[in-house]
Amino acid sequence: MTNIIDYIFVEPFPWTWLIQDVVALLLGVMLLAFIIRREERPWVVILEAFAFIFIYASIYENAAIVMGLYSYGRSLVMIGFVPASVPLIEVCVLITGFWLLENTKVPNWAKPPIIGLFGMLQDFSLDPLAIRQVHTVGELTSGRWNWLIGSTDANIFNIPVFNFPGWMLIMFYGSICLLIGRWWFKKSGYKTIVGIVYPFIMMIAALLLMISPISNLLLWLGPIFQKGQAIEWAMLAFHLIVPTLLLIFLWRGKNLRPFTMNDLPIFLFPTALHVMDIIFTIAGGFTEILWIVILASVVQSGFLWFYWTRSRKITI
């Protein structure tokens, strides 16, 4: 594998990184295909995904790198300093999260934190592995992802605790803004011009929310506390418990219809990413993180399996 990669790329490219990038890119292509297949107005959802990736997630990730929060290793496709696989995984979580909750009576106001929960569960298996996949590329030794934190900062396996609620906020703000944009589009009578502009306007709004003091408040109760302190554990618990309770009590096992093949990505995408994380964790010998990778995978995949089986028994 290494010799083949040496022939394809100017500099050696770690095959573990390459496989994970390819899987993320394939999932992105599959997401596009299913958007076209299942959406009444697929062009609008495609614009939402495009704006989420390039106007919101990628700009924020690049800004965080410039600010010195973290860095990334090389990727098959880069958007600035950020591997394209990162916003692709995020947009897959976002869109499939919307699709899953559309088949419930969960009200729109509760969808953003629940989709944020899905993002956190995905990241609990993704990040612990990524920072341990260290390779030397050219003259630079780097993990697939690198967190730059202080030695005393609150952390989970050398990842700052606030990173996981950070995924909550990326999904939370993005979901809120897209729901507002979709409401505006519907209110306009589905005017084409509104469908064209709202994804970009709403993702600019989400980006502004992400870099606002509100995020510091929701991540570590800033400005009362500072980044890196133990309060981050309490905020992590808050972001895990509240959306879980919303999901349990607002969903209550009730689905609107049975699932079909059009719903396949809802179950396939998160499970495929978790399975890949488990495989590379075991193959890399990263036994210290295996329990959290498996736990996150089992919780999310177990819920999706239960959700699928409940859809066979409609109880409206």
Side-chain angles (χ1 to χ4, degrees):
M1 176 68 75
T2 302
N3 291 334
I4 295 173
I5 292 173
D6 288 345
Y7 280 114
I8 295 174
F9 299 101
V10 175
E11 294 181 348
F13 197 88
W15 68 270
T16 52
W17 297 5
L18 179 61
I19 291 175
Q20 289 165 287
D21 285 344
V22 169
V23 170
L25 291 170
L26 288 175
L27 290 178
V29 172
M30 289 178 61
L31 180 70
L32 176 63
F34 273 93
I35 288 173
I36 294 171
R37 178 175 177 174
R38 64 173 286 151
E39 291 288 345
E40 183 178 354
R41 296 174 180 84
W43 61 273
V44 179
V45 182
I46 291 171
L47 285 178
E48 289 181 348
F50 181 89
F52 180 94
I53 291 171
F54 292 100
I55 305 298
Y56 179 31
S58 292
I59 290 179
Y60 173 74
E61 295 278 355
N62 274 283
I65 291 170
V66 171
M67 290 187 294
L69 289 177
Y70 47 77
S71 65
Y72 292 100
R74 284 186 56 201
S75 178
L76 185 62
V77 179
M78 300 289 289
I79 305 174
F81 300 111
V82 178
S85 57
V86 176
L88 273 175
I89 290 172
E90 291 169 348
V91 82
C92 285
V93 172
L94 180 81
I95 300 298
T96 58
F98 272 129
W99 287 345
L100 185 146
L101 295 175
E102 284 170 1
N103 194 29
T104 71
K105 287 188 174 182
V106 172
N108 280 340
W109 64 264
K111 290 178 180 178
I114 294 173
I115 293 174
L117 175 65
F118 298 155
M120 281 198 295
L121 289 173
Q122 201 75 68
D123 192 50
F124 267 115
S125 76
L126 185 64
D127 257 21
L129 168 64
I131 69 167
R132 284 163 175 78
Q133 293 178 303
V134 178
H135 295 276
T136 299
V137 180
E139 298 181 354
L140 178 66
T141 298
S142 170
R144 188 165 175 243
W145 297 351
N146 308 284
W147 272 100
L148 310 174
I149 64 174
S151 59
T152 60
D153 287 2
N155 70 88
I156 300 174
F157 296 115
N158 296 321
I159 302 162
V161 172
F162 75 79
N163 167 67
F164 300 100
W167 274 65
M168 157 65 77
L169 295 190
I170 288 175
M171 298 294 113
F172 182 72
Y173 295 144
S175 302
I176 288 176
C177 291
L178 286 181
L179 285 171
I180 293 172
R182 291 177 179 186
W183 170 84
W184 177 23
F185 185 40
K186 181 178 180 181
K187 189 78 171 178
S188 74
Y190 299 107
K191 290 182 179 178
T192 300
I193 186 61
V194 176
I196 292 173
V197 302
Y198 89 72
F200 298 94
I201 293 174
M202 291 299 113
M203 288 303 94
I204 291 172
L207 179 62
L208 293 175
L209 285 169
M210 194 67 200
I211 62 176
S212 74
I214 298 173
S215 293
N216 292 347
L217 176 67
L218 294 175
L219 292 177
W220 53 75
L221 289 185
I224 302 170
F225 297 95
Q226 299 299 312
K227 177 167 66 72
Q229 296 183 347
I231 188 63
E232 290 180 14
W233 290 102
M235 298 309 295
L236 173 62
F238 172 80
H239 288 296
L240 285 171
I241 292 170
V242 171
T244 299
L245 292 177
L246 288 175
L247 182 60
I248 292 172
F249 290 106
L250 295 177
W251 171 47
R252 290 177 297 174
K254 296 182 179 180
N255 304 309
L256 300 179
R257 59 171 178 78
F259 285 109
T260 68
M261 286 301 294
N262 281 339
D263 301 304
L264 182 63
I266 295 173
F267 306 93
L268 175 63
F269 290 9
T271 302
L273 290 168
H274 282 307
V275 168
M276 182 171 62
D277 292 338
I278 292 173
I279 290 172
F280 280 105
T281 297
I282 295 173
F286 308 124
T287 54
E288 74 277 13
I289 63 167
L290 184 58
W291 72 269
I292 196 169
V293 172
I294 291 178
L295 178 62
S297 303
V298 167
V299 169
Q300 188 166 12
S301 301
F303 166 73
L304 291 173
W305 176 83
F306 181 71
Y307 193 82
W308 171 271
T309 58
R310 291 293 299 179
S311 80
R312 305 290 99 186
K313 304 173 183 179
I314 305 299
T315 56
I316 302 299

